[in-house]
Amino acid sequence: MGDTPLLRFAQWYWPGKPPLADTCWVVATAARACGAQELLAALQGAGHGPLALLLLDEGGYEGPLPWVRMPALGAARILSRLKPRILLCLDDDPRARAAAAAASCPVVWVNGRAPELLSLGAVAVASEAVALRIGGGVVTGDPLSAWPAAPAAPADTRFCERFQAVRKAGRWVVYFAGTEPGEEALAYTTFLALSAGSGGLLALAPRDPGRHEEVYREAIKYHLTTVRQLRLMTSEVPSKTRVYYIESAEARHAMHGCADLIVAGGTLVGGAPLPPEPPVAGAAILAGPYPRNPLLMAAVDAEVVVSCADIADLARVAGTWLADAAGRGRMAQALGRWLASQPEARARFLAWFAEVSRGAA
């Protein structure tokens, strides 16, 4: 091959091997590239390789792809040397935008959320809600977060009949689902703020059954009329109940179909990521400032779940939604459509990417 300028460039910037011919270059941060390994493997398996990584940050990348770091300046220069077949942008970053603007090859954006991206390439969006907001894009679902089947919505509508007296009294129901340690106090704070304007019912379900007694004893200090689900002697919740305390997995799931508004547990305090658990269709869902669950984060990115900045913001947004039944219904429907389509999102994205790639041949 000889000591060509391209080879000297490769030896200077490239860890171990020269650039690949006819390559799909993935533009991403190290963290995003690591989180996208299943999608990248699927792309290679579908014949869209070879793939290489154009790294946007200084983070350590230890994945299987060969990589080169994107310079802070000079996107056009590096692209003229690498000669990509197609750019696959996983991160909306100023340097990624500069690369897209300088590229002479097709550019694909994954989970685009900004209207400006529509002028910088083909944009795959995660939901109809995003497409509507930015004014375009191809709705594929989120190919980075895939699961084999949509989570089933509650099927036992009889469970909701126990709230008939509460409904007849004209009261709303807010459900804090699957709370973690430290979140119950915030749930009560939010509920009391909401109740200042109108009366409602708080349904509360700690995620860990081992905490049921502890959380209940702590809740007594709020002096709110509380009914424990497993100790209710009749099926109907009395109309003056302020807190419905859920203590079984079956009721925890069924409650998703009964609430006016759901606040996702595990989102009110920070901490380590929670195990994957898709949001359940049934009502509009709000999240706190820490949507740690990977699949809930995907729903937030798809704009079918709203993540609030803090507890005050949560109370404000929840109050607005409780006063807007039509708006809540639209959000619940958007979430339901996204959940139903998400299991096929990766296959849908791969098929669309194949169409775009044909323009690079």
Side-chain angles (χ1 to χ4, degrees):
M1 185 172 182
D3 188 20
T4 65
L6 180 59
L7 181 58
R8 287 199 299 273
F9 171 84
Q11 291 169 339
W12 181 259
Y13 287 100
W14 191 275
K17 59 178 67 176
L20 307 173
D22 196 32
T23 298
C24 169
W25 282 87
V26 180
V27 183
T29 60
R32 181 75 72 181
C34 290
Q37 288 191 44
E38 289 186 5
L39 172 62
L40 300 179
L43 284 165
Q44 288 183 310
H48 296 299
L51 270 60
L53 176 62
L54 196 51
L55 196 62
L56 291 171
D57 59 5
E58 299 295 326
Y61 174 73
E62 298 180 356
L65 295 182
W67 59 271
V68 64
R69 203 176 306 282
M70 170 80 82
L73 300 173
R77 185 180 180 189
I78 192 172
L79 292 179
S80 69
R81 300 197 179 201
L82 297 179
K83 294 181 172 54
R85 172 174 54 86
I86 189 169
L87 287 183
L88 177 64
C89 299
L90 303 185
D91 277 285
D92 182 4
D93 173 281
R95 280 179 288 179
R97 292 191 182 196
S104 57
C105 64
V107 178
V108 170
W109 295 87
V110 177
N111 294 348
R113 296 181 64 186
E116 302 80 40
L117 300 183
L118 297 172
S119 64
L120 293 173
V123 182
V125 297
S127 70
E128 297 170 4
V130 176
L132 181 63
R133 181 181 60 78
I134 70 173
V138 176
V139 181
T140 62
D142 181 2
L144 299 176
S145 299
W147 52 81
D156 186 5
T157 57
R158 294 173 301 172
F159 183 86
C160 298
E161 294 175 2
R162 62 187 62 200
F163 300 102
Q164 287 180 344
V166 174
R167 296 300 189 184
K168 287 178 182 177
R171 298 169 62 202
W172 43 257
V173 177
V174 169
Y175 177 31
F176 281 74
T179 53
E180 296 287 329
E183 294 191 320
E184 290 82 18
L186 300 175
Y188 278 99
T189 298
T190 305
F191 173 66
L192 291 172
L194 293 172
S195 297
S198 60
L201 173 74
L202 166 65
L204 183 64
R207 183 186 298 266
D208 180 7
R211 299 179 59 241
H212 283 164
E213 287 298 326
E214 167 197 342
V215 172
Y216 176 72
R217 288 195 301 270
E218 183 68 16
I220 293 174
K221 69 182 182 183
Y222 294 98
H223 304 293
L224 297 172
T225 305
T226 301
V227 167
R228 299 182 70 169
Q229 172 230 331
L230 293 181
R231 299 188 184 184
L232 183 64
M233 301 305 294
T234 62
S235 60
E236 190 168 290
V237 177
S239 62
K240 294 184 179 180
T241 302
R242 303 299 305 284
V243 180
Y244 185 64
Y245 191 63
I246 295 174
E247 301 173 282
S248 74
E250 295 78 12
R252 180 178 146 192
H253 180 71
M255 192 69 211
H256 283 83
C258 309
D260 295 297
L261 183 63
I262 297 169
V263 178
T267 69
L268 305 181
V269 297
L274 296 172
E277 182 176 311
V280 178
I285 296 180
L286 289 178
Y290 308 102
R292 299 176 286 151
N293 180 294
L295 300 181
L296 183 63
M297 290 170 64
V300 169
D301 287 342
E303 300 180 15
V304 293
V305 169
V306 173
S307 178
C308 300
D310 51 34
I311 297 303
D313 189 41
L314 175 65
R316 180 188 62 79
V317 176
T320 301
W321 281 21
L322 288 173
D324 182 9
R328 291 199 315 273
R330 287 191 294 270
M331 286 299 295
Q333 291 170 5
L335 173 62
R337 289 193 297 269
W338 182 77
L339 288 171
S341 66
Q342 186 58 29
E344 301 299 324
R346 186 166 294 166
R348 194 179 303 114
F349 175 84
L350 291 173
W352 173 73
F353 185 80
E355 293 181 12
V356 177
S357 295
R358 277 194 279 272

